[in-house]
Amino acid sequence: MAKYKIAEIPGDGIGPDVMAAAVKVLETLEETRDLSFEFNRLVVGDELKERTGVALPPGTIDEIRKSDVALFAAVGDTAREVLLPIRQQLDLYVNLRPAKVYPNVPHLKEDVDIVMVRENTEGIYKMIGDRGDGWGINVRVITAKASERIARYAFEYAVKYDRKLVTSVHKSNVLNYSCGVFQEACQRVAEEYPGVEFNEVLVDACAMRLILRPEAFDVIVTTNLFGDILSDEAAGLVGGLGMTPSGNIGDDHAMFEPIHGTAPRLAGTGRANPMATILSAGMMLDWLGEKDSAAVVEKAVIDVLKEAKTLTPDLGGSAKTMDVASAVCEKL
Ligand code: IPM
Ligand code: MG
């Protein structure tokens, strides 16, 4: 039987609520499939910082390294102090963010099925800069190495999941130095994949086209900050952050997380939608190589949505977080 050690990182706000829902789904899978999980709970975030002065204890990254994979829920004000070191020190260079329309989820646009492949280790997120009296600088670092490997991931993803088009999104008309490196790296990699269509869009035009013609996009590959912004936009198109999972993926390690934050007003009320975290757990299973179980989790989510009996308030229902988890478990 396959046995996986999972670093479980609930964080703050609604984090523990949605994490409990996802863990329940994984525990139910243990009963129904040939799988077993050992959860290693790691405490990070705002509340920890208030108590101890640190948001990310020094041993955390090693604990993740020792696990097969990590599942993360949400942290608030300390997100930068927690997420960025994990992403950068574990070299989780892909931030994979699918955005698609699920049944009975109120959405702005039909036919959206976009996969955002966001570079996750450099760009403006390098946190290089300075602040003086009346001025501030953030340095944007773009390397050919990181750009090429993210482009290659996007094309490999397209091949593996039978996607037709990869769109490189940048702003090389203005950010000529840094985006120039990214743009050329994508062009070089595209030549290795003649079977996948390739085009380029400037980020401002992309932001508009996502609203007007989202069906024109398939796989988007872009730099860190552009991917941060565009993935929230894409999430908005398909019904908001309650439904959008993500994966931080490297060659050796990975951490999956819902895109949403801590939603402090909902914390502990049982009103948080756990679907994004459950879908993130599904992506995690896919990454672990448990393709069937991953598909089963997504199908269970879709079945619950189709039935529309057990939905949280953001989806127009009155069910509680754990009711949704139970409904998904029943479908497993
Ligand atoms: C995200 C978040 C983070 C980011 C913040 C909280 C550090 O917005 O995961 O998209 O900017 O990457
Ligand atoms: Mg973001």
Side-chain angles (χ1 to χ4, degrees):
M1 176 186 336
K3 195 175 161 113
Y4 298 106
K5 195 167 168 195
I6 298 181
E8 174 200 346
I9 314 175
D12 302 297
I14 60 169
D17 306 354
V18 294
M19 180 62 83
V23 168
K24 185 177 163 84
V25 169
L26 291 169
E27 285 174 345
T28 304
L29 277 182
E30 289 184 309
E31 290 159 25
T32 52
R33 306 189 70 84
D34 204 23
L35 278 176
S36 94
F37 304 108
E38 184 192 322
F39 294 96
N40 178 16
R41 183 180 266 249
L42 304 176
V43 180
V44 304
D46 300 3
E47 202 259 330
L48 182 74
K49 185 169 179 182
E50 238 165 69
R51 269 192 295 119
T52 68
V54 275
L56 182 71
T60 308
I61 290 182
D62 267 337
E63 288 296 323
I64 300 176
R65 219 179 246 126
K66 281 190 256 162
S67 309
D68 292 302
V69 72
L71 187 62
F72 181 99
V75 284
D77 292 340
T78 57
R80 184 168 60 82
E81 290 156 69
V82 172
L83 282 173
L84 303 193
I86 294 177
R87 289 172 180 167
Q88 294 179 18
Q89 288 178 37
L90 291 174
D91 204 22
L92 309 179
Y93 60 90
V94 183
N95 199 321
L96 185 64
R97 301 189 152 183
K100 67 178 171 190
V101 176
Y102 282 104
N104 285 320
V105 175
H107 53 271
L108 295 177
K109 282 284 179 178
E110 304 300 327
D111 303 326
V112 181
D113 184 4
I114 297 168
V115 176
M116 195 79 62
V117 178
R118 164 187 173 190
E119 204 291 322
N120 211 25
T121 56
E122 59 176 30
I124 210 85
Y125 282 76
K126 271 288 194 195
M127 309 312 294
I128 300 170
D130 202 359
R131 176 85 196 254
D133 189 16
W135 56 269
I137 297 173
N138 279 88
V139 177
R140 184 172 196 255
V141 179
I142 302 285
T143 64
K145 178 179 173 233
S147 303
E148 269 180 31
R149 68 180 176 174
I150 197 68
R152 188 158 284 112
Y153 186 93
F155 279 96
E156 284 295 326
Y157 185 96
V159 170
K160 186 166 166 199
Y161 292 93
D162 200 24
R163 300 242 168 198
K164 307 292 175 224
L165 169 69
V166 172
T167 302
S168 157
V169 175
H170 54 71
K171 183 79 183 174
S172 67
N173 57 340
V174 176
L175 302 175
N176 53 343
Y177 300 120
S178 56
C179 270
V181 171
F182 181 80
Q183 177 183 29
E184 287 161 22
C186 291
Q187 290 170 351
R188 274 197 302 279
V189 173
E191 278 177 22
E192 295 171 32
Y193 295 87
V196 180
E197 204 186 318
F198 171 68
N199 63 12
E200 300 180 32
V201 183
L202 295 173
V203 65
D204 49 349
C206 177
M208 184 182 70
R209 204 179 298 173
L210 271 172
I211 304 287
L212 297 181
R213 277 194 347 108
E215 67 282 0
F217 295 101
D218 192 350
V219 176
I220 290 177
V221 62
T222 190
T223 54
N224 208 339
L225 181 64
F226 295 163
D228 176 49
I229 298 165
L230 295 175
S231 59
D232 269 28
E233 187 183 350
L237 287 177
V238 300
L241 294 171
M243 290 302 305
T244 31
S246 77
N248 301 272
I249 301 172
D251 289 333
D252 304 315
H253 306 283
M255 180 172 84
F256 293 82
E257 54 165 325
I259 297 189
H260 64 66
T262 54
R265 279 182 306 117
L266 297 183
T269 64
R271 292 167 59 90
N273 183 354
M275 290 306 205
T277 312
I278 295 172
L279 289 168
S280 301
M283 287 177 72
M284 176 183 85
L285 291 167
D286 190 71
W287 184 80
L288 286 169
E290 299 294 340
K291 310 279 168 205
D292 292 348
S293 297
V296 162
V297 169
E298 191 184 21
K299 176 158 189 316
V301 166
I302 290 173
D303 288 348
V304 170
L305 292 169
K306 273 191 185 150
E307 232 173 44
K309 280 200 315 219
T310 321
L311 302 177
T312 42
D314 58 311
L315 300 182
S318 58
K320 297 281 186 189
T321 309
M322 287 312 274
D323 298 336
V324 173
S326 302
V328 171
C329 290
E330 253 169 62
K331 303 290 179 195
L332 296 173

